[in-house]
């Protein structure tokens, strides 16, 4: 699915670029692109957060 229409970037490509990325700008840099309209920036930030959450899942509640 396209996340960034301006740069024709799909969620899969962005997820790979977001691995260990510090911020949205770094994701775009890794993709060799620059944000244009900016509408996708919250979605790209969410992709970074989702990647972090997958790497560091919340601990289970104490039993
Ligand atoms: S949709 Fe990503 S910069 Fe416009």
């Amino acid at each position: 699915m396209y996340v960034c229409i301006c740069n024709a970037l799909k969620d899969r490509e962005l997820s790979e670029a977001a691995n260990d990325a510090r911020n949205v700008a770094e994701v775009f840099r890794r993709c060799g692109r620059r944000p244009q309209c900016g509408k996708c920036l919250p979605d790209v930030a969410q992709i970074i957060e989702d990647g972090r959450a997958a790497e560091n899942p919340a601990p289970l509640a104490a039993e």
Side-chain angles (χ1 to χ4, degrees):
M1 174 180 83
Y2 284 102
V3 174
C4 178
I5 304 302
C6 296
N7 288 297
L9 291 171
K10 295 182 178 179
D11 53 348
R12 195 174 193 172
E13 184 176 1
L14 288 165
S15 293
E16 290 173 10
N19 189 28
D20 292 332
R22 286 173 291 176
N23 52 45
V24 171
E26 187 173 345
V27 174
F28 275 90
R29 227 181 354 263
R30 289 178 179 181
C31 292
R33 312 264 185 24
R34 290 183 177 179
Q36 295 178 39
C37 77
K39 287 183 178 174
C40 65
L41 299 184
D43 295 327
V44 176
Q46 187 62 52
I47 289 171
I48 294 171
E49 283 303 312
D50 290 348
R52 287 182 185 150
E55 288 177 13
N56 302 307
L60 297 174
E63 294 179 6

